Amino acid sequence: MSIAMEFPLEAADPHCLTLGTAGALLADAPWRRLVVVGDSIAQGVREPVEGYRDSGFADRVGEAFAQVHPDFDYLNLGRRGLRLAEIRDTQLEPALDFEPDLAMVAGGGNDAIHPSFDEESLRRGLEDVILPLRERGATVVTVGLFDLARSGLLDEPYATQLAERFDLVERVTAELAAAHGCVHADSHHHPRAADPGVFASDLMHCNARGHAIAEANVVRALAEAARV
């Protein structure tokens, strides 16, 4: 049975990519060693959704690369619950040891919900992860957050407070990506960013549909970067 037949809703979703299409978009990409660092988003924590393949977005990106590049290597170091300083302290060294030419960074969400959150610490935390990878020559992909705060799933005043913080995470991440020559996959302004149908019932993470959409967003961003 084909993937399209097994997961018909995903195959029909205009915001998703089939495995074959994702691979085709990356066929001319130069990268062969992808490392992923970050929190639960990077790790791929999710809730299954009928009709969608139950796989995290980063693993999907690695799979798409491997489909067209048999020599492709992939390492996912993402772990649930980590703030940026913890990502730096526990994942940066093994990420650099992997000698990646492509690194995906998904972090900042756990910082945003911490009482001590502020723009300066967020900026410093992101740079502490991004800059060493860039200095080693890796292309860095920063991954934006979906807009859970505007999904209607959260109560006020928490929803408004979270929206302000997640907006700040997106703005700072995008600014740093531009300043340091990174590729930014902006999920925060995606057409389905605030769709309640992309979130898990824990009201924290994405479900399998959200991961499928996030993968397509990253693949398209990488394909565009590879053409430049």
Side-chain angles (χ1 to χ4, degrees), residues 66-91:
Q67 181 188 12
V68 291
H69 301 297
D71 59 341
F72 189 80
D73 285 322
Y74 169 70
L75 175 65
N76 191 331
L77 297 167
R79 292 294 179 269
R80 185 172 187 166
L82 299 188
R83 296 169 64 191
L84 288 164
E86 296 168 311
I87 294 168
R88 176 199 63 205
D89 292 344
T90 63
Q91 298 176 20

PDB file of all heavy atoms in Angstrom, residues 66-91:
ATOM      1  N   ALA A  66      17.228  11.615   2.775  1.00  0.00           N
ATOM      2  CA  ALA A  66      17.782  10.276   2.573  1.00  0.00           C
ATOM      3  C   ALA A  66      17.195   9.590   1.354  1.00  0.00           C
ATOM      4  O   ALA A  66      17.850   8.736   0.733  1.00  0.00           O
ATOM      5  CB  ALA A  66      17.550   9.427   3.822  1.00  0.00           C
ATOM      6  N   GLN A  67      15.975   9.964   1.001  1.00  0.00           N
ATOM      7  CA  GLN A  67      15.343   9.340  -0.153  1.00  0.00           C
ATOM      8  C   GLN A  67      16.106   9.638  -1.442  1.00  0.00           C
ATOM      9  O   GLN A  67      16.173   8.793  -2.345  1.00  0.00           O
ATOM     10  CB  GLN A  67      13.899   9.838  -0.276  1.00  0.00           C
ATOM     11  CG  GLN A  67      13.136   9.214  -1.445  1.00  0.00           C
ATOM     12  CD  GLN A  67      11.789   9.851  -1.654  1.00  0.00           C
ATOM     13  OE1 GLN A  67      11.491  10.897  -1.097  1.00  0.00           O
ATOM     14  NE2 GLN A  67      10.972   9.241  -2.476  1.00  0.00           N
ATOM     15  N   VAL A  68      16.670  10.838  -1.540  1.00  0.00           N
ATOM     16  CA  VAL A  68      17.345  11.236  -2.787  1.00  0.00           C
ATOM     17  C   VAL A  68      18.864  11.274  -2.656  1.00  0.00           C
ATOM     18  O   VAL A  68      19.564  11.401  -3.655  1.00  0.00           O
ATOM     19  CB  VAL A  68      16.820  12.604  -3.273  1.00  0.00           C
ATOM     20  CG1 VAL A  68      15.384  12.475  -3.749  1.00  0.00           C
ATOM     21  CG2 VAL A  68      16.944  13.668  -2.193  1.00  0.00           C
ATOM     22  N   HIS A  69      19.358  11.171  -1.416  1.00  0.00           N
ATOM     23  CA  HIS A  69      20.805  11.187  -1.192  1.00  0.00           C
ATOM     24  C   HIS A  69      21.168   9.999  -0.302  1.00  0.00           C
ATOM     25  O   HIS A  69      21.136  10.115   0.928  1.00  0.00           O
ATOM     26  CB  HIS A  69      21.237  12.502  -0.538  1.00  0.00           C
ATOM     27  CG  HIS A  69      20.907  13.716  -1.349  1.00  0.00           C
ATOM     28  ND1 HIS A  69      21.448  13.946  -2.590  1.00  0.00           N
ATOM     29  CD2 HIS A  69      20.081  14.763  -1.094  1.00  0.00           C
ATOM     30  CE1 HIS A  69      20.986  15.096  -3.066  1.00  0.00           C
ATOM     31  NE2 HIS A  69      20.152  15.597  -2.189  1.00  0.00           N
ATOM     32  N   PRO A  70      21.526   8.861  -0.866  1.00  0.00           N
ATOM     33  CA  PRO A  70      21.800   7.668  -0.060  1.00  0.00           C
ATOM     34  C   PRO A  70      22.933   7.846   0.946  1.00  0.00           C
ATOM     35  O   PRO A  70      23.005   7.103   1.932  1.00  0.00           O
ATOM     36  CB  PRO A  70      22.166   6.619  -1.122  1.00  0.00           C
ATOM     37  CG  PRO A  70      21.514   7.098  -2.374  1.00  0.00           C
ATOM     38  CD  PRO A  70      21.569   8.587  -2.315  1.00  0.00           C
ATOM     39  N   ASP A  71      23.810   8.817   0.714  1.00  0.00           N
ATOM     40  CA  ASP A  71      24.928   9.051   1.627  1.00  0.00           C
ATOM     41  C   ASP A  71      24.578  10.044   2.731  1.00  0.00           C
ATOM     42  O   ASP A  71      25.457  10.486   3.477  1.00  0.00           O
ATOM     43  CB  ASP A  71      26.150   9.557   0.860  1.00  0.00           C
ATOM     44  CG  ASP A  71      25.876  10.857   0.095  1.00  0.00           C
ATOM     45  OD1 ASP A  71      24.690  11.168  -0.145  1.00  0.00           O
ATOM     46  OD2 ASP A  71      26.850  11.543  -0.275  1.00  0.00           O
ATOM     47  N   PHE A  72      23.298  10.366   2.870  1.00  0.00           N
ATOM     48  CA  PHE A  72      22.873  11.372   3.850  1.00  0.00           C
ATOM     49  C   PHE A  72      22.924  10.803   5.260  1.00  0.00           C
ATOM     50  O   PHE A  72      22.503   9.667   5.508  1.00  0.00           O
ATOM     51  CB  PHE A  72      21.449  11.825   3.523  1.00  0.00           C
ATOM     52  CG  PHE A  72      20.996  12.999   4.332  1.00  0.00           C
ATOM     53  CD1 PHE A  72      21.384  14.284   3.991  1.00  0.00           C
ATOM     54  CD2 PHE A  72      20.166  12.831   5.433  1.00  0.00           C
ATOM     55  CE1 PHE A  72      20.969  15.374   4.738  1.00  0.00           C
ATOM     56  CE2 PHE A  72      19.739  13.906   6.175  1.00  0.00           C
ATOM     57  CZ  PHE A  72      20.142  15.188   5.829  1.00  0.00           C
ATOM     58  N   ASP A  73      23.444  11.606   6.220  1.00  0.00           N
ATOM     59  CA  ASP A  73      23.494  11.227   7.636  1.00  0.00           C
ATOM     60  C   ASP A  73      22.670  12.209   8.458  1.00  0.00           C
ATOM     61  O   ASP A  73      22.672  13.425   8.190  1.00  0.00           O
ATOM     62  CB  ASP A  73      24.928  11.219   8.151  1.00  0.00           C
ATOM     63  CG  ASP A  73      25.712  10.014   7.655  1.00  0.00           C
ATOM     64  OD1 ASP A  73      25.123   8.926   7.575  1.00  0.00           O
ATOM     65  OD2 ASP A  73      26.900  10.180   7.343  1.00  0.00           O
ATOM     66  N   TYR A  74      22.003  11.688   9.478  1.00  0.00           N
ATOM     67  CA  TYR A  74      21.051  12.477  10.255  1.00  0.00           C
ATOM     68  C   TYR A  74      21.166  12.137  11.729  1.00  0.00           C
ATOM     69  O   TYR A  74      21.238  10.965  12.110  1.00  0.00           O
ATOM     70  CB  TYR A  74      19.634  12.165   9.740  1.00  0.00           C
ATOM     71  CG  TYR A  74      18.500  12.696  10.584  1.00  0.00           C
ATOM     72  CD1 TYR A  74      18.226  14.048  10.655  1.00  0.00           C
ATOM     73  CD2 TYR A  74      17.684  11.816  11.308  1.00  0.00           C
ATOM     74  CE1 TYR A  74      17.168  14.534  11.418  1.00  0.00           C
ATOM     75  CE2 TYR A  74      16.616  12.287  12.061  1.00  0.00           C
ATOM     76  CZ  TYR A  74      16.366  13.653  12.111  1.00  0.00           C
ATOM     77  OH  TYR A  74      15.326  14.123  12.872  1.00  0.00           O
ATOM     78  N   LEU A  75      21.190  13.177  12.568  1.00  0.00           N
ATOM     79  CA  LEU A  75      21.244  12.995  14.012  1.00  0.00           C
ATOM     80  C   LEU A  75      20.292  13.982  14.670  1.00  0.00           C
ATOM     81  O   LEU A  75      20.404  15.192  14.456  1.00  0.00           O
ATOM     82  CB  LEU A  75      22.674  13.239  14.525  1.00  0.00           C
ATOM     83  CG  LEU A  75      22.875  13.200  16.045  1.00  0.00           C
ATOM     84  CD1 LEU A  75      22.589  11.806  16.604  1.00  0.00           C
ATOM     85  CD2 LEU A  75      24.293  13.645  16.397  1.00  0.00           C
ATOM     86  N   ASN A  76      19.360  13.471  15.468  1.00  0.00           N
ATOM     87  CA  ASN A  76      18.414  14.312  16.180  1.00  0.00           C
ATOM     88  C   ASN A  76      18.719  14.250  17.673  1.00  0.00           C
ATOM     89  O   ASN A  76      18.578  13.201  18.307  1.00  0.00           O
ATOM     90  CB  ASN A  76      16.976  13.860  15.912  1.00  0.00           C
ATOM     91  CG  ASN A  76      15.944  14.864  16.419  1.00  0.00           C
ATOM     92  OD1 ASN A  76      16.179  15.582  17.379  1.00  0.00           O
ATOM     93  ND2 ASN A  76      14.799  14.911  15.765  1.00  0.00           N
ATOM     94  N   LEU A  77      19.136  15.382  18.226  1.00  0.00           N
ATOM     95  CA  LEU A  77      19.499  15.474  19.634  1.00  0.00           C
ATOM     96  C   LEU A  77      18.399  16.120  20.480  1.00  0.00           C
ATOM     97  O   LEU A  77      18.565  16.279  21.691  1.00  0.00           O
ATOM     98  CB  LEU A  77      20.787  16.289  19.789  1.00  0.00           C
ATOM     99  CG  LEU A  77      22.030  15.695  19.127  1.00  0.00           C
ATOM    100  CD1 LEU A  77      23.143  16.732  19.081  1.00  0.00           C
ATOM    101  CD2 LEU A  77      22.496  14.458  19.876  1.00  0.00           C
ATOM    102  N   GLY A  78      17.286  16.502  19.874  1.00  0.00           N
ATOM    103  CA  GLY A  78      16.225  17.216  20.576  1.00  0.00           C
ATOM    104  C   GLY A  78      15.695  16.447  21.774  1.00  0.00           C
ATOM    105  O   GLY A  78      15.507  15.233  21.714  1.00  0.00           O
ATOM    106  N   ARG A  79      15.430  17.185  22.854  1.00  0.00           N
ATOM    107  CA  ARG A  79      14.887  16.588  24.076  1.00  0.00           C
ATOM    108  C   ARG A  79      13.838  17.502  24.692  1.00  0.00           C
ATOM    109  O   ARG A  79      14.012  18.718  24.760  1.00  0.00           O
ATOM    110  CB  ARG A  79      16.001  16.315  25.104  1.00  0.00           C
ATOM    111  CG  ARG A  79      16.973  15.214  24.695  1.00  0.00           C
ATOM    112  CD  ARG A  79      16.289  13.856  24.630  1.00  0.00           C
ATOM    113  NE  ARG A  79      17.201  12.806  24.210  1.00  0.00           N
ATOM    114  CZ  ARG A  79      17.410  12.428  22.958  1.00  0.00           C
ATOM    115  NH1 ARG A  79      16.758  13.047  21.965  1.00  0.00           N
ATOM    116  NH2 ARG A  79      18.244  11.464  22.664  1.00  0.00           N
ATOM    117  N   ARG A  80      12.813  16.893  25.178  1.00  0.00           N
ATOM    118  CA  ARG A  80      11.655  17.611  25.731  1.00  0.00           C
ATOM    119  C   ARG A  80      12.029  18.441  26.956  1.00  0.00           C
ATOM    120  O   ARG A  80      12.817  18.025  27.804  1.00  0.00           O
ATOM    121  CB  ARG A  80      10.579  16.594  26.101  1.00  0.00           C
ATOM    122  CG  ARG A  80       9.274  17.175  26.573  1.00  0.00           C
ATOM    123  CD  ARG A  80       8.243  16.078  26.718  1.00  0.00           C
ATOM    124  NE  ARG A  80       6.919  16.626  27.014  1.00  0.00           N
ATOM    125  CZ  ARG A  80       5.798  15.919  26.920  1.00  0.00           C
ATOM    126  NH1 ARG A  80       5.842  14.652  26.545  1.00  0.00           N
ATOM    127  NH2 ARG A  80       4.636  16.480  27.206  1.00  0.00           N
ATOM    128  N   GLY A  81      11.439  19.621  27.043  1.00  0.00           N
ATOM    129  CA  GLY A  81      11.511  20.425  28.253  1.00  0.00           C
ATOM    130  C   GLY A  81      12.718  21.329  28.390  1.00  0.00           C
ATOM    131  O   GLY A  81      12.830  22.045  29.393  1.00  0.00           O
ATOM    132  N   LEU A  82      13.605  21.370  27.412  1.00  0.00           N
ATOM    133  CA  LEU A  82      14.843  22.122  27.564  1.00  0.00           C
ATOM    134  C   LEU A  82      14.685  23.585  27.179  1.00  0.00           C
ATOM    135  O   LEU A  82      14.029  23.926  26.194  1.00  0.00           O
ATOM    136  CB  LEU A  82      15.950  21.506  26.711  1.00  0.00           C
ATOM    137  CG  LEU A  82      16.349  20.065  27.014  1.00  0.00           C
ATOM    138  CD1 LEU A  82      17.581  19.684  26.208  1.00  0.00           C
ATOM    139  CD2 LEU A  82      16.596  19.853  28.498  1.00  0.00           C
ATOM    140  N   ARG A  83      15.322  24.442  27.967  1.00  0.00           N
ATOM    141  CA  ARG A  83      15.469  25.845  27.601  1.00  0.00           C
ATOM    142  C   ARG A  83      16.757  26.010  26.797  1.00  0.00           C
ATOM    143  O   ARG A  83      17.556  25.078  26.679  1.00  0.00           O
ATOM    144  CB  ARG A  83      15.466  26.705  28.860  1.00  0.00           C
ATOM    145  CG  ARG A  83      14.135  26.639  29.605  1.00  0.00           C
ATOM    146  CD  ARG A  83      14.221  27.266  30.974  1.00  0.00           C
ATOM    147  NE  ARG A  83      14.507  28.687  30.898  1.00  0.00           N
ATOM    148  CZ  ARG A  83      14.840  29.433  31.955  1.00  0.00           C
ATOM    149  NH1 ARG A  83      14.944  28.859  33.165  1.00  0.00           N
ATOM    150  NH2 ARG A  83      15.079  30.716  31.820  1.00  0.00           N
ATOM    151  N   LEU A  84      16.961  27.192  26.244  1.00  0.00           N
ATOM    152  CA  LEU A  84      18.085  27.398  25.326  1.00  0.00           C
ATOM    153  C   LEU A  84      19.435  27.139  25.986  1.00  0.00           C
ATOM    154  O   LEU A  84      20.327  26.545  25.361  1.00  0.00           O
ATOM    155  CB  LEU A  84      18.029  28.819  24.755  1.00  0.00           C
ATOM    156  CG  LEU A  84      16.910  29.040  23.733  1.00  0.00           C
ATOM    157  CD1 LEU A  84      16.677  30.531  23.507  1.00  0.00           C
ATOM    158  CD2 LEU A  84      17.244  28.347  22.417  1.00  0.00           C
ATOM    159  N   ALA A  85      19.616  27.562  27.231  1.00  0.00           N
ATOM    160  CA  ALA A  85      20.891  27.322  27.906  1.00  0.00           C
ATOM    161  C   ALA A  85      21.142  25.823  28.083  1.00  0.00           C
ATOM    162  O   ALA A  85      22.292  25.357  27.976  1.00  0.00           O
ATOM    163  CB  ALA A  85      20.909  28.024  29.261  1.00  0.00           C
ATOM    164  N   GLU A  86      20.088  25.067  28.329  1.00  0.00           N
ATOM    165  CA  GLU A  86      20.227  23.618  28.480  1.00  0.00           C
ATOM    166  C   GLU A  86      20.511  22.954  27.131  1.00  0.00           C
ATOM    167  O   GLU A  86      21.263  21.974  27.058  1.00  0.00           O
ATOM    168  CB  GLU A  86      18.964  23.036  29.110  1.00  0.00           C
ATOM    169  CG  GLU A  86      18.718  23.535  30.523  1.00  0.00           C
ATOM    170  CD  GLU A  86      17.332  23.189  31.038  1.00  0.00           C
ATOM    171  OE1 GLU A  86      16.340  23.427  30.324  1.00  0.00           O
ATOM    172  OE2 GLU A  86      17.241  22.678  32.172  1.00  0.00           O
ATOM    173  N   ILE A  87      19.906  23.476  26.075  1.00  0.00           N
ATOM    174  CA  ILE A  87      20.214  22.969  24.730  1.00  0.00           C
ATOM    175  C   ILE A  87      21.683  23.196  24.428  1.00  0.00           C
ATOM    176  O   ILE A  87      22.386  22.304  23.940  1.00  0.00           O
ATOM    177  CB  ILE A  87      19.312  23.659  23.685  1.00  0.00           C
ATOM    178  CG1 ILE A  87      17.845  23.250  23.896  1.00  0.00           C
ATOM    179  CG2 ILE A  87      19.760  23.310  22.266  1.00  0.00           C
ATOM    180  CD1 ILE A  87      16.862  24.098  23.102  1.00  0.00           C
ATOM    181  N   ARG A  88      22.164  24.392  24.728  1.00  0.00           N
ATOM    182  CA  ARG A  88      23.584  24.709  24.528  1.00  0.00           C
ATOM    183  C   ARG A  88      24.477  23.766  25.334  1.00  0.00           C
ATOM    184  O   ARG A  88      25.440  23.192  24.804  1.00  0.00           O
ATOM    185  CB  ARG A  88      23.846  26.157  24.953  1.00  0.00           C
ATOM    186  CG  ARG A  88      25.308  26.596  24.883  1.00  0.00           C
ATOM    187  CD  ARG A  88      25.514  27.824  25.749  1.00  0.00           C
ATOM    188  NE  ARG A  88      25.257  27.532  27.163  1.00  0.00           N
ATOM    189  CZ  ARG A  88      24.897  28.445  28.072  1.00  0.00           C
ATOM    190  NH1 ARG A  88      24.718  29.701  27.719  1.00  0.00           N
ATOM    191  NH2 ARG A  88      24.705  28.084  29.339  1.00  0.00           N
ATOM    192  N   ASP A  89      24.156  23.583  26.594  1.00  0.00           N
ATOM    193  CA  ASP A  89      25.038  22.828  27.486  1.00  0.00           C
ATOM    194  C   ASP A  89      25.030  21.330  27.200  1.00  0.00           C
ATOM    195  O   ASP A  89      26.040  20.649  27.434  1.00  0.00           O
ATOM    196  CB  ASP A  89      24.629  23.067  28.940  1.00  0.00           C
ATOM    197  CG  ASP A  89      24.905  24.492  29.399  1.00  0.00           C
ATOM    198  OD1 ASP A  89      25.669  25.199  28.715  1.00  0.00           O
ATOM    199  OD2 ASP A  89      24.334  24.900  30.436  1.00  0.00           O
ATOM    200  N   THR A  90      23.928  20.782  26.725  1.00  0.00           N
ATOM    201  CA  THR A  90      23.829  19.331  26.560  1.00  0.00           C
ATOM    202  C   THR A  90      23.899  18.855  25.112  1.00  0.00           C
ATOM    203  O   THR A  90      24.216  17.687  24.874  1.00  0.00           O
ATOM    204  CB  THR A  90      22.508  18.812  27.172  1.00  0.00           C
ATOM    205  OG1 THR A  90      21.394  19.369  26.465  1.00  0.00           O
ATOM    206  CG2 THR A  90      22.419  19.175  28.642  1.00  0.00           C
ATOM    207  N   GLN A  91      23.619  19.744  24.162  1.00  0.00           N
ATOM    208  CA  GLN A  91      23.531  19.292  22.769  1.00  0.00           C
ATOM    209  C   GLN A  91      24.557  19.909  21.831  1.00  0.00           C
ATOM    210  O   GLN A  91      24.857  19.321  20.781  1.00  0.00           O
ATOM    211  CB  GLN A  91      22.123  19.587  22.219  1.00  0.00           C
ATOM    212  CG  GLN A  91      21.022  18.849  22.958  1.00  0.00           C
ATOM    213  CD  GLN A  91      19.635  19.216  22.462  1.00  0.00           C
ATOM    214  OE1 GLN A  91      19.452  19.723  21.366  1.00  0.00           O
ATOM    215  NE2 GLN A  91      18.634  18.961  23.289  1.00  0.00           N
TER     216      GLN A  91
END
